[in-house]
Amino acid sequence: MAAKIYYDNDADLSLLKNKTIAILGYGSQGHAQAQNLRDSGCKVIIGQRPGGPNYDLAVKHGFQPMSLEDATRQADIVNILLPDEVQGDLYRNHIRANLQPGNVLMESHGFNFHFGQVEPPPGVDTMLVAPKGPGHLVRSEFEKGGGVPCLIALGPGASEETRKLGLAYAKGIGGTRAGVIETTIAEETETDLFGEQVVLCGGVSELVKAAFETLVEAGYQPEMAYFECLHELKLIVDLFYQGGLNYMRYSVSNTAEYGDYTRGPRIVTDQTRAEMKKILKEIQSGQFAREWILENRAGAPAFKAIRRRERSLQIEEVGRRLRKLMSWVNAKEV
Ligand code: NDP
Ligand code: MG
């Protein structure tokens, strides 16, 4: 079944006119959503801790950032745009007690709602309005008169009024200019985690590493392996992005297309598909969420160790050297 999509005409910005919206966190999403809403005529206040560049940025943009407590207390609509892994503690210690019945609590990603880290007090509806793009794009598309598509999802028991408020919010950040798709918090959370684990981050990184190491172990030069297995991925992904699998296959050589059809299924095998199903089960059961929440509570020791090891891989060292040869790449080293 095709998803329901809402546009500008389905949303009424005037529903936000007498509401104060607190944006908690002035990071990637916070800075974009706050400014777009203000430009749409909404009353926006910012909860942002002092002492860092994001605080200064909020001031530079003409806001007077305050504590999470004060912003929550003064607002009718509270949107938590803090990093997912710290939201649970920040919510319990600084936000929850300052919510009042009738407030609406929002997120841009369902993780903390879905896995019970952000649970609203009685009388507070929850809702997700999630832009399908990074904050800088949410801002720059809005400034050009456009918008980034958004997802909307209502929390358990949320009223029809809250849905209308959500669509108004999505309009305020420019989302209805592009289209707003209705989903559920479970679907948004589970598909997001699955996509990043299996394809976008986990799957692709491991595929690239394995292919690079196969060539290098077979005696090929690491520079050649880097170009073939990592660098050129961008050309392929850009073709996917513009026209799906078919446009990629139309654009590459017939030799490449034949290799794709006949060799690809030997890389992603029945065993790979079975593992995908297992990973999805771990997401659905909350096993992954529990692991990640406990990992953070322990100070993220395993996460930091793996991160260190991954940074010292040969493919990373070769890449740092080769990217210096290509000014147009706009190389980023962190
Ligand atoms: P960022 O990391 O860009 O910003 C986080 C903000 O929270 C910063 O202002 C930061 O302030 C503040 N913050 C961080 N740690 C603390 C702390 N311990 N106490 C108080 N404030 C803190 O987050 P994002 O905008 O990327 O993510 C926000 C939400 O949006 C998440 O739920 C995410 O899943 C969702 N989202 C993000 C997208 C993206 O592309 N980035 C896309 C769609 C959804 P300081 O500068 O002082 O550290
Ligand atoms: Mg995602």
Side-chain angles (χ1 to χ4, degrees):
M1 197 185 67
K4 168 121 184 82
I5 304 185
Y6 299 95
Y7 298 100
D8 271 347
N9 287 339
D10 303 310
D12 179 6
L13 256 182
S14 74
L15 296 174
L16 295 173
K17 277 283 140 40
N18 298 313
K19 310 272 188 204
T20 299
I21 304 171
I23 298 293
L24 306 185
Y26 205 74
S28 172
Q29 287 298 328
H31 93 285
Q33 296 189 30
Q35 291 185 92
N36 291 4
L37 288 164
R38 184 175 62 184
D39 290 349
S40 296
C42 300
K43 180 165 184 225
V44 179
I45 58 176
I46 306 295
Q48 167 65 44
R49 66 177 172 186
N54 284 324
Y55 182 94
D56 297 340
L57 193 65
V59 171
K60 193 179 144 208
H61 291 163
F63 292 108
Q64 292 167 300
M66 56 189 93
S67 68
L68 300 179
E69 284 88 345
D70 285 342
T72 304
R73 225 174 277 133
Q74 292 178 28
D76 304 292
I77 299 170
V78 176
N79 198 345
I80 305 179
L81 297 176
L82 302 159
D84 293 310
E85 66 276 14
V86 298
Q87 280 188 19
D89 285 338
L90 291 175
Y91 177 73
R92 284 183 287 271
N93 296 330
H94 305 283
I95 301 169
R96 192 179 194 278
N98 298 298
L99 289 165
Q100 286 119 35
N103 288 172
V104 173
L105 186 61
M106 298 182 63
E107 294 265 14
S108 280
H109 176 34
F111 186 93
N112 286 287
F113 280 157
H114 187 60
F115 295 115
Q117 300 306 295
V118 172
E119 287 185 315
V124 172
D125 274 2
T126 53
M127 169 172 67
L128 192 80
V129 173
K132 290 311 287 175
H136 68 85
L137 199 66
V138 171
R139 181 59 183 158
S140 64
E141 284 302 304
F142 182 89
E143 286 181 300
K144 285 187 216 156
V148 169
C150 290
L151 305 177
I152 185 170
L154 295 183
S159 69
E160 195 48 41
E161 243 166 280
T162 297
R163 178 201 306 276
K164 288 187 182 139
L165 220 52
L167 287 171
Y169 185 101
K171 187 171 189 169
I173 62 172
T176 48
R177 293 172 178 174
V180 174
I181 298 174
E182 176 122 25
T183 178
T184 63
I185 288 172
E187 184 178 60
E188 189 273 341
T189 306
E190 291 167 3
T191 56
D192 185 81
L193 290 171
F194 182 78
E196 67 201 19
Q197 292 177 16
V198 165
V199 183
L200 307 174
C201 308
V204 172
S205 302
E206 215 50 39
L207 184 66
V208 165
K209 273 163 55 186
F212 174 88
E213 285 163 11
T214 301
L215 285 179
V216 172
E217 272 168 39
Y220 296 97
Q221 301 183 80
E223 291 78 5
M224 298 296 288
Y226 178 85
F227 276 122
E228 282 308 320
C229 301
L230 189 149
H231 180 78
E232 287 190 17
L233 193 56
K234 173 166 167 48
L235 308 175
I236 298 301
V237 169
D238 284 348
L239 297 169
F240 278 180
Y241 190 78
Q242 287 184 289
L245 302 178
N246 186 52
Y247 184 60
M248 182 278 281
R249 285 158 174 172
Y250 161 81
S251 304
V252 300
S253 68
N254 285 341
T255 312
E257 187 180 354
Y258 179 74
D260 168 348
Y261 297 143
T262 58
R263 269 52 181 179
R266 289 170 53 189
I267 297 301
V268 177
T269 60
D270 287 346
Q271 197 192 336
T272 318
R273 286 168 191 268
E275 202 59 37
M276 285 186 184
K277 290 205 174 92
K278 261 167 74 182
I279 289 173
L280 181 58
K281 284 252 154 45
E282 289 168 13
I283 292 168
Q284 290 167 332
S285 70
Q287 188 184 330
F288 173 79
R290 184 182 56 218
E291 179 186 322
W292 178 226
I293 290 162
L294 292 178
E295 171 69 11
N296 278 293
R297 210 159 281 162
F303 181 58
K304 287 173 186 163
I306 302 170
R307 183 187 260 170
R308 223 175 9 253
R309 195 180 65 218
E310 288 282 313
R311 282 183 181 176
S312 63
L313 289 176
Q314 186 186 15
I315 189 170
E316 293 287 78
E317 182 271 316
V318 175
R320 269 191 292 277
R321 275 195 288 115
L322 290 179
R323 289 189 291 272
K324 290 206 182 97
L325 310 180
M326 302 177 279
S327 60
W328 63 91
V329 162
N330 186 18
K332 307 242 192 254
E333 312 299 346
V334 290

